[in-house]
PDB file of all heavy atoms in Angstrom:
ATOM      1  N   PHE R 247     -14.741  10.989 -20.703  1.00 96.00           N
ATOM      2  CA  PHE R 247     -16.034  11.617 -20.991  1.00 96.00           C
ATOM      3  C   PHE R 247     -16.353  11.734 -22.483  1.00 96.00           C
ATOM      4  O   PHE R 247     -17.432  12.184 -22.840  1.00 96.00           O
ATOM      5  CB  PHE R 247     -16.083  13.016 -20.359  1.00 96.00           C
ATOM      6  CG  PHE R 247     -15.743  13.023 -18.899  1.00 96.00           C
ATOM      7  CD1 PHE R 247     -14.589  13.668 -18.439  1.00 96.00           C
ATOM      8  CD2 PHE R 247     -16.538  12.370 -17.974  1.00 96.00           C
ATOM      9  CE1 PHE R 247     -14.266  13.669 -17.085  1.00 96.00           C
ATOM     10  CE2 PHE R 247     -16.219  12.361 -16.625  1.00 96.00           C
ATOM     11  CZ  PHE R 247     -15.079  13.019 -16.181  1.00 96.00           C
ATOM     12  N   LEU R 255     -18.058  20.015 -21.339  1.00 94.00           N
ATOM     13  CA  LEU R 255     -19.089  19.423 -20.490  1.00 94.00           C
ATOM     14  C   LEU R 255     -19.989  20.492 -19.874  1.00 94.00           C
ATOM     15  O   LEU R 255     -20.989  20.166 -19.229  1.00 94.00           O
ATOM     16  CB  LEU R 255     -18.440  18.580 -19.388  1.00 94.00           C
ATOM     17  CG  LEU R 255     -17.652  17.363 -19.886  1.00 94.00           C
ATOM     18  CD1 LEU R 255     -16.724  16.842 -18.805  1.00 94.00           C
ATOM     19  CD2 LEU R 255     -18.607  16.268 -20.337  1.00 94.00           C
ATOM     20  N   VAL R 259     -20.966  23.232 -14.381  1.00 93.00           N
ATOM     21  CA  VAL R 259     -21.390  21.912 -13.881  1.00 93.00           C
ATOM     22  C   VAL R 259     -20.478  21.372 -12.781  1.00 93.00           C
ATOM     23  O   VAL R 259     -20.700  20.276 -12.267  1.00 93.00           O
ATOM     24  CB  VAL R 259     -21.450  20.881 -15.036  1.00 93.00           C
ATOM     25  CG1 VAL R 259     -22.532  21.261 -16.027  1.00 93.00           C
ATOM     26  CG2 VAL R 259     -20.101  20.751 -15.726  1.00 93.00           C
ATOM     27  N   GLY R 260     -19.436  22.126 -12.397  1.00 94.00           N
ATOM     28  CA  GLY R 260     -18.604  21.708 -11.269  1.00 94.00           C
ATOM     29  C   GLY R 260     -17.265  21.110 -11.648  1.00 94.00           C
ATOM     30  O   GLY R 260     -16.402  20.938 -10.789  1.00 94.00           O
ATOM     31  N   ILE R 261     -17.065  20.793 -12.915  1.00 95.00           N
ATOM     32  CA  ILE R 261     -15.773  20.251 -13.337  1.00 95.00           C
ATOM     33  C   ILE R 261     -14.932  21.401 -13.898  1.00 95.00           C
ATOM     34  O   ILE R 261     -15.422  22.228 -14.665  1.00 95.00           O
ATOM     35  CB  ILE R 261     -15.944  19.123 -14.386  1.00 95.00           C
ATOM     36  CG1 ILE R 261     -14.611  18.411 -14.618  1.00 95.00           C
ATOM     37  CG2 ILE R 261     -16.559  19.618 -15.675  1.00 95.00           C
ATOM     38  CD1 ILE R 261     -14.747  17.126 -15.422  1.00 95.00           C
ATOM     39  N   PHE R 269     -12.184  13.631 -11.288  1.00 97.00           N
ATOM     40  CA  PHE R 269     -13.482  13.108 -11.733  1.00 97.00           C
ATOM     41  C   PHE R 269     -13.299  12.057 -12.833  1.00 97.00           C
ATOM     42  O   PHE R 269     -14.059  11.089 -12.905  1.00 97.00           O
ATOM     43  CB  PHE R 269     -14.373  14.244 -12.235  1.00 97.00           C
ATOM     44  CG  PHE R 269     -15.192  14.887 -11.161  1.00 97.00           C
ATOM     45  CD1 PHE R 269     -15.093  16.249 -10.918  1.00 97.00           C
ATOM     46  CD2 PHE R 269     -16.072  14.142 -10.389  1.00 97.00           C
ATOM     47  CE1 PHE R 269     -15.863  16.855  -9.926  1.00 97.00           C
ATOM     48  CE2 PHE R 269     -16.839  14.725  -9.396  1.00 97.00           C
ATOM     49  CZ  PHE R 269     -16.731  16.091  -9.168  1.00 97.00           C
ATOM     50  N   ASN R 303     -20.603  19.131  -5.066  1.00 94.00           N
ATOM     51  CA  ASN R 303     -20.142  19.488  -6.409  1.00 94.00           C
ATOM     52  C   ASN R 303     -21.226  19.075  -7.404  1.00 94.00           C
ATOM     53  O   ASN R 303     -21.733  17.943  -7.344  1.00 94.00           O
ATOM     54  CB  ASN R 303     -18.828  18.772  -6.728  1.00 94.00           C
ATOM     55  CG  ASN R 303     -18.215  19.243  -8.034  1.00 94.00           C
ATOM     56  OD1 ASN R 303     -18.769  19.036  -9.118  1.00 94.00           O
ATOM     57  ND2 ASN R 303     -17.047  19.878  -7.941  1.00 94.00           N
ATOM     58  N   LYS R 304     -21.559  19.972  -8.304  1.00 94.00           N
ATOM     59  CA  LYS R 304     -22.664  19.743  -9.241  1.00 94.00           C
ATOM     60  C   LYS R 304     -22.388  18.630 -10.252  1.00 94.00           C
ATOM     61  O   LYS R 304     -23.314  18.166 -10.928  1.00 94.00           O
ATOM     62  CB  LYS R 304     -22.979  21.039  -9.992  1.00 94.00           C
ATOM     63  CG  LYS R 304     -23.473  22.163  -9.110  1.00 94.00           C
ATOM     64  CD  LYS R 304     -23.699  23.424  -9.925  1.00 94.00           C
ATOM     65  CE  LYS R 304     -24.145  24.584  -9.045  1.00 94.00           C
ATOM     66  NZ  LYS R 304     -24.316  25.827  -9.849  1.00 94.00           N
ATOM     67  N   PHE R 305     -21.128  18.201 -10.349  1.00 96.00           N
ATOM     68  CA  PHE R 305     -20.792  17.203 -11.370  1.00 96.00           C
ATOM     69  C   PHE R 305     -21.035  15.769 -10.901  1.00 96.00           C
ATOM     70  O   PHE R 305     -21.010  14.836 -11.696  1.00 96.00           O
ATOM     71  CB  PHE R 305     -19.340  17.379 -11.808  1.00 96.00           C
ATOM     72  CG  PHE R 305     -19.016  16.751 -13.135  1.00 96.00           C
ATOM     73  CD1 PHE R 305     -19.627  17.199 -14.305  1.00 96.00           C
ATOM     74  CD2 PHE R 305     -18.117  15.700 -13.233  1.00 96.00           C
ATOM     75  CE1 PHE R 305     -19.339  16.621 -15.539  1.00 96.00           C
ATOM     76  CE2 PHE R 305     -17.819  15.115 -14.460  1.00 96.00           C
ATOM     77  CZ  PHE R 305     -18.425  15.578 -15.620  1.00 96.00           C
ATOM     78  N   TRP R 306     -21.284  15.583  -9.621  1.00 95.00           N
ATOM     79  CA  TRP R 306     -21.461  14.228  -9.091  1.00 95.00           C
ATOM     80  C   TRP R 306     -22.581  13.435  -9.771  1.00 95.00           C
ATOM     81  O   TRP R 306     -22.387  12.256 -10.094  1.00 95.00           O
ATOM     82  CB  TRP R 306     -21.688  14.259  -7.579  1.00 95.00           C
ATOM     83  CG  TRP R 306     -20.421  14.193  -6.781  1.00 95.00           C
ATOM     84  CD1 TRP R 306     -19.922  15.137  -5.940  1.00 95.00           C
ATOM     85  CD2 TRP R 306     -19.478  13.115  -6.749  1.00 95.00           C
ATOM     86  NE1 TRP R 306     -18.726  14.726  -5.392  1.00 95.00           N
ATOM     87  CE2 TRP R 306     -18.437  13.486  -5.869  1.00 95.00           C
ATOM     88  CE3 TRP R 306     -19.410  11.882  -7.373  1.00 95.00           C
ATOM     89  CZ2 TRP R 306     -17.348  12.662  -5.607  1.00 95.00           C
ATOM     90  CZ3 TRP R 306     -18.320  11.052  -7.110  1.00 95.00           C
ATOM     91  CH2 TRP R 306     -17.298  11.444  -6.245  1.00 95.00           C
ATOM     92  N   PRO R 307     -23.768  14.005 -10.004  1.00 95.00           N
ATOM     93  CA  PRO R 307     -24.831  13.224 -10.660  1.00 95.00           C
ATOM     94  C   PRO R 307     -24.399  12.667 -12.013  1.00 95.00           C
ATOM     95  O   PRO R 307     -24.738  11.530 -12.359  1.00 95.00           O
ATOM     96  CB  PRO R 307     -25.962  14.241 -10.808  1.00 95.00           C
ATOM     97  CG  PRO R 307     -25.748  15.205  -9.697  1.00 95.00           C
ATOM     98  CD  PRO R 307     -24.261  15.333  -9.578  1.00 95.00           C
ATOM     99  N   ARG R 308     -23.627  13.463 -12.793  1.00 95.00           N
ATOM    100  CA  ARG R 308     -23.134  12.990 -14.103  1.00 95.00           C
ATOM    101  C   ARG R 308     -22.202  11.807 -13.918  1.00 95.00           C
ATOM    102  O   ARG R 308     -22.279  10.819 -14.654  1.00 95.00           O
ATOM    103  CB  ARG R 308     -22.414  14.147 -14.815  1.00 95.00           C
ATOM    104  CG  ARG R 308     -21.445  13.750 -15.916  1.00 95.00           C
ATOM    105  CD  ARG R 308     -22.136  13.108 -17.107  1.00 95.00           C
ATOM    106  NE  ARG R 308     -21.186  12.791 -18.167  1.00 95.00           N
ATOM    107  CZ  ARG R 308     -20.399  11.727 -18.187  1.00 95.00           C
ATOM    108  NH1 ARG R 308     -20.445  10.849 -17.191  1.00 95.00           N
ATOM    109  NH2 ARG R 308     -19.578  11.515 -19.200  1.00 95.00           N
ATOM    110  N   VAL R 309     -21.325  11.856 -12.929  1.00 96.00           N
ATOM    111  CA  VAL R 309     -20.361  10.775 -12.703  1.00 96.00           C
ATOM    112  C   VAL R 309     -21.054   9.535 -12.148  1.00 96.00           C
ATOM    113  O   VAL R 309     -20.813   8.414 -12.605  1.00 96.00           O
ATOM    114  CB  VAL R 309     -19.236  11.239 -11.745  1.00 96.00           C
ATOM    115  CG1 VAL R 309     -18.306  10.092 -11.399  1.00 96.00           C
ATOM    116  CG2 VAL R 309     -18.437  12.369 -12.386  1.00 96.00           C
TER     117      VAL R 309
END
Side-chain angles (χ1 to χ4, degrees):
F247 307 114
L255 296 163
V259 295
I261 190 169
F269 272 123
N303 187 294
K304 296 177 182 178
F305 200 64
W306 271 117
R308 160 66 178 80
V309 175

